[in-house]
Amino acid sequence: MSTTLEPEGTYDGVPSFSYDNTAGGPVLSHHRRWDEISAAHSGFRSSTARGFWVVTDGPAIQEALQDWETFSSKSVTALDPDPKFLWIPEMLDPPLHSKWRRLLGREFSPNAVARREPEIRQVAVETIERFAGHGGADVLDEFARRFPTKIFLRLMGLPPEDLDVFLGWVHEILHLSYEQDPDRGRQLAGINAVSAYFGEQIARRREAPTDDLLSRAMTWQIDGEPISDRDLHAFCVLMFQAGLDTVPISVGWSLYHFATHPGQRAAIVADPSLIPVSVEEILRVYSFVIPARKATKDIEIGGCPVKSGEMVMLPLAVSNRDPGRYENPSEVDLTRRTSNHIAFGSGPHRCLGSHLARLELNVAVEEWHRRIPDYRIAAGQELEETGNMYGIKSLRLEW
Ligand code: HEM
């Protein structure tokens, strides 16, 4: 990561950094950088690409996420204020956004998710048992990415043999840095490929509907009208984005955390009732989603004089590791009682899949430690994380 703590100058009276959030770096470097910058500044200007604002004041981040009238979701990519693509419901503002959320809410409600638990557990167990006897594995490739992607394919009713092609698209759309993809051409090509794939899936279901989320979405109506093919594509692409990378990243951080904190690992193995708190704490401490919004009017936030049409980045890690909000904010604390973190966001766009994600994470941690209770990080690795959403790139464990 190219940022130094010394600002390179000022922009409208606010410190300016060449902060490139898309760049990868050593493991946890983004989190440490946010801690350092937010201790010194409530906001700054990033000079990357066309430039954007970054709020580094915990309460202000949450307020902005809740104020959708001022901070619109028409663009949610700080580098790209005028995107050539649409993701539904992520890039809609209320009232249209609320109509989609009402329809989607049923599919992702706590009850709907709880009904999937046996299937989710079975997939986790099968995936772990493929390599548990091998004495070691790259756990991102063998488990963290495979397990939730298999669940996603089942949820959407897609063929299990498409797993590897999905994992490739996730990389092109979500993992490339600004340097690797300066004009976002590779990202757009990936999005178009996913959209074409879903176009085919939608066409097949028009011939013969199946019992899955995609087929059900095709029967929904908004304002008395069936959903257009364009909007169905935009929904599928968003489901892909939102559902495919996030749980893998969290499973990766969970295994990294327990590998580097053997005392806490022993504690959850001895008393699995500690697992839900550990999952919440890992989500909080290793928060990796960095929403962005487009200002609809001139507004000052975190000391930044934002102009209408400019992009504002709202890093959740700053709020979740805010020393004003949590004691020892960067520590996973298995006795912590406060569970008000915003790793799933805040306001109207708060994660639709949070119940599913929590269930997958709890099942992953439980079933892993039932079979592989004792493990360590294999020697000789430089542990690196991705930019955009901060996930550990590769992690070889031994047991
Ligand atoms: C640990 C895993 C996950 C984390 C940390 C996470 C986090 C988030 C966050 C922070 C947002 C809000 C983004 C914003 O405000 O711009 C969001 C939105 C969303 N998430 Fe998740 N997510 C996770 C898993 C999932 C899963 C498994 C699904 C579905 C299969 C999902 C579906 C969605 C959808 C559809 C939205 C858009 C909601 C809207 O715009 O109204 N997420 N997620």
Side-chain angles (χ1 to χ4, degrees), residues 11-14 42-44 53-55 57 59-61 63-64 67 70-71 295-308 310 312 314:
Y11 184 101
D12 269 1
V14 175
S42 56
F44 68 90
W53 298 101
V54 186
V55 179
D57 172 74
I61 289 170
E63 278 161 31
D67 179 5
T70 310
F71 297 98
T296 57
K297 60 179 186 201
D298 293 0
I299 178 99
E300 180 162 325
I301 181 160
C304 304
V306 178
K307 296 206 176 51
S308 177
E310 289 188 318
V312 183
L314 303 163

Side-chain angles (χ1 to χ4, degrees), residues 65 73 76 87-92 97 101 104 108 152 155 235 238-239 242-248 250 283 288-293 316 342-346 348-354 356-358 360-361 389:
L65 288 169
S73 293
V76 290
W87 300 331
I88 290 178
E90 173 82 8
M91 288 166 67
L92 298 176
H97 172 259
R101 283 291 297 231
L104 283 163
F108 289 92
F152 178 84
L155 178 77
F235 163 65
L238 188 267
M239 286 302 295
L244 275 185
D245 210 22
T246 45
V247 181
S250 306
L283 283 166
F288 54 83
V289 183
I290 312 93
R293 298 288 189 264
L316 302 181
I342 58 163
F344 289 113
S346 187
H349 291 274
R350 191 183 173 283
C351 180
L352 175 74
S354 63
L356 177 62
R358 282 194 162 114
E360 289 183 29
L361 285 171
M389 291 209 261

Side-chain angles (χ1 to χ4, degrees), residues 321-341:
R321 295 162 66 99
D322 181 355
R325 188 165 175 168
Y326 301 100
E327 227 171 275
N328 300 324
S330 57
E331 302 290 316
V332 167
D333 178 351
L334 300 187
T335 64
R336 206 181 293 276
R337 292 282 163 260
T338 40
S339 59
N340 58 353
H341 69 73

